[in-house]
Amino acid sequence: IRDRSGAKTIIAVDRHSSRLDDALTFGATHTINASDTDPVVAIRELTGGLGVDYAFEAIGLSATIQQAYNSLAKRGIAMTLGIASATTEVTISPVGLVYEERVLTGSLYGSSVPKTDIPMMIDLYTNGSLKLDELLSRTYPIEEINGAREVSEVTVESLFAGLAEQVPFTAHERFVTRGAQRLGKRDGIAVLASERDFREVASREHGLSLIHI
């Protein structure tokens, strides 16, 4: 990433140390653990008080979008990639929009042009510039595809079971992801989690960005 972008400093922010370690492998020069540090303050310290030229937000929460915007330097661009719920609102000061000419925008699928971008990414992968193999935690031969699916389902169920225990339940709202619906039972009565609560816990505890399916 760093070689192609020309960026001298790439700061990764996450709540999980293992992911921050991975970020260093993929090109980050600095990491910030948001579970014990205010990322905006830390970014300002790393950049001599200036802020960053580009901030990418990949969760879709109001708080993280605001953090990305507040981390910007003058004329910086904050781009949100995470899919927020329809009711999510972001509060920012218009002063920075004018006096510092900051920009807050979004991007769907990287605003890519498949006809040109996919061949480019294939070239980057084949010459070793784009790390994809390192993203794989485990591979299966085709004859073990059913076993791979079972492992995947167990992992997902375990994850959402842990989330469900932390989420206030209501009877009138639905989960925002398939699979979590199976967990909608308490004392034999089917219940559904508040979308907002489930989304916030998923992001806070597991760094997930949940979307409507």
Side-chain angles (χ1 to χ4, degrees), residues 137-151:
S137 57
R138 185 174 178 182
T139 59
Y140 295 83
I142 189 64
E143 58 269 19
E144 295 181 16
I145 189 171
N146 291 332
R149 179 177 179 180
E150 291 175 2
V151 171

Side-chain angles (χ1 to χ4, degrees), residues 52-60 64-65 67-69 72 76-82 103-112:
V52 294
D53 295 317
Y54 300 94
F56 299 92
E57 188 279 336
I59 298 177
T64 50
I65 295 173
Q67 288 173 343
Y69 179 80
L72 293 177
I77 299 175
M79 182 170 292
T80 180
L81 311 174
V103 175
L104 175 60
T105 186
S107 177
L108 182 64
Y109 295 109
S111 304
S112 63

Side-chain angles (χ1 to χ4, degrees), residues 134-172:
E134 291 80 358
L135 293 173
L136 301 176
S137 57
R138 185 174 178 182
T139 59
Y140 295 83
I142 189 64
E143 58 269 19
E144 295 181 16
I145 189 171
N146 291 332
R149 179 177 179 180
E150 291 175 2
V151 171
S152 176
E153 288 182 348
V154 169
T155 301
V156 171
E157 294 257 352
S158 299
L159 170 62
F160 286 112
L163 288 175
E165 293 175 357
Q166 306 172 60
V167 175
F169 279 79
T170 62
H172 64 281

